Amino acid sequence: MSSPFIPVNEPLLDGNEKKYLIECIDTGWISSEGPFIKKFEELFAERVNRKHAIAVSNGSVAIDAAIIALGIKAGDEVIMPSFTIISCAAAIVRVGAIPVVVDSDPITWNMDVNLVEEKISMRTKAIMVVHIYGLPVDMDPLLEVARKHNLKIIEDAAEMHGQTYKGRPCGSFGDVSTFSFYPNKHITTGEGGMIVTDDQKIADHCRSLRNLCFNPEKRFVHEELGFNFRMTNLQAALGLAQLERLDAFVKRKRDMGHYYTEKLGSVKGLDLPLPQTSYAENIYWVYGIVLKEDVPFDAAQAMKKLAALNSGSRPFFWPMHEQPVFKKMGLFKGVYCPVAERLARRGFYIPSGLALTTNQMDKVIEAVREIFHN
Ligand SMILES: *Cc1c(COP(=O)(O)O)cnc(C)c1O
């Protein structure tokens, strides 16, 4: 009999999650009004060293609100990595602004910070920093460029709960920083996100945008168009229980990452995640693998082979400058990002969720070894 399929992610919900959820039901607080929201926001802000945290319905709309609150408008340019999730570029495009993409560093898979300054034009308003897969972007040179050119920083820390850059929490670097609590992130609320900032005005604006821009004096009279981006008390209850265990989760992810690296290090043809840089230790949000040039199949084929051996996997991001939706809008004409293009075609990640057992990891390792016949 074949062993059961190993999913690419399963969350771990065996702390206070059930207790807090029952509290929501027992007290009747299930909407976005409810005590867990404020508690979760306060503890989260404290954890990332920020003055304000605004809980929202997911990590994508957190970026939408951040872009609007920073005043990014039609015709403005925002520099960002090509190798990221669509949410980053979508938020820029939706306000009529223009995403200007930068290629990736082949080793860290993050935006190559050396390529940023040459992309700055008269219209550049901000740099969107996205920490990818487990290692933070090298922030110091980027902050220097931003200071020199008077640019805002939007920091997408959706994959970085508990990570630090030179000892400072990720999520503490942006004029606005955002997080996601999707079930494959280090902590989850099912669906959910968080905006953090030290700026009172930005925080107030994000709170207003989250809640349809209701008017504090005349509730149903609106000065601006907002959204319903509210998080529910049920989600915040989960979030609080998860946040209590963030350090343990990060430790477990690091242990898992080290275990995979130890067992897969000898397999020829693979580029594995960098365990550390001078500024951070990898937290392995996901455990990515990039196939070297001499491997005769690509990521899509590798994932098919793994699936046949009952191991889940997911492709890497597909670069923004190669997205049909943006091509149709006339964006990114003549743009090439060879590293991002290669990562998209040669990269994928293997099961890395917090509920993954060592026994399951051994089966995944066996499957990877088998497709490389060594
Ligand atoms: C997950 C993720 C998001 C989006 O978060 P959702 O909660 O799924 O909307 C945004 N940015 C990055 C880098 C992510 O990994």
Side-chain angles (χ1 to χ4, degrees), residues 117 127 139-150 153:
E117 196 163 20
I127 303 170
M139 291 305 300
D140 278 345
L142 212 57
L143 291 169
E144 186 52 42
V145 167
R147 233 185 330 260
K148 191 169 139 196
H149 297 271
N150 198 23
I153 299 266

Side-chain angles (χ1 to χ4, degrees), residues 56-63 83-88 129-133 156-160 178-185 190-194 285 317:
V56 291
S57 38
N58 58 68
S60 301
V61 301
I63 305 170
F83 187 70
T84 182
I85 193 167
I86 191 88
S87 317
C88 300
V129 177
V130 190
H131 309 294
I132 302 286
Y133 294 168
D156 181 357
E159 305 172 359
M160 288 296 121
T178 61
F179 287 88
S180 162
F181 305 119
Y182 190 70
N184 64 357
K185 313 293 174 170
E191 298 286 348
M194 193 74 84
W285 170 55
F317 293 129

Side-chain angles (χ1 to χ4, degrees), residues 7-8 29 67 110 112 127 271 324-325 353:
V8 77
W29 288 113
I67 287 283
N110 271 312
D112 185 339
I127 303 170
D271 281 336
V325 61

Side-chain angles (χ1 to χ4, degrees), residues 3-9 309-313 351 356 359-361 363-364:
S3 56
F5 194 83
I6 300 169
V8 77
N9 177 70
L309 295 168
N310 283 322
S311 171
S313 61
L356 197 70
N359 186 268
Q360 286 177 309
M361 290 176 71
K363 296 211 165 94
V364 173

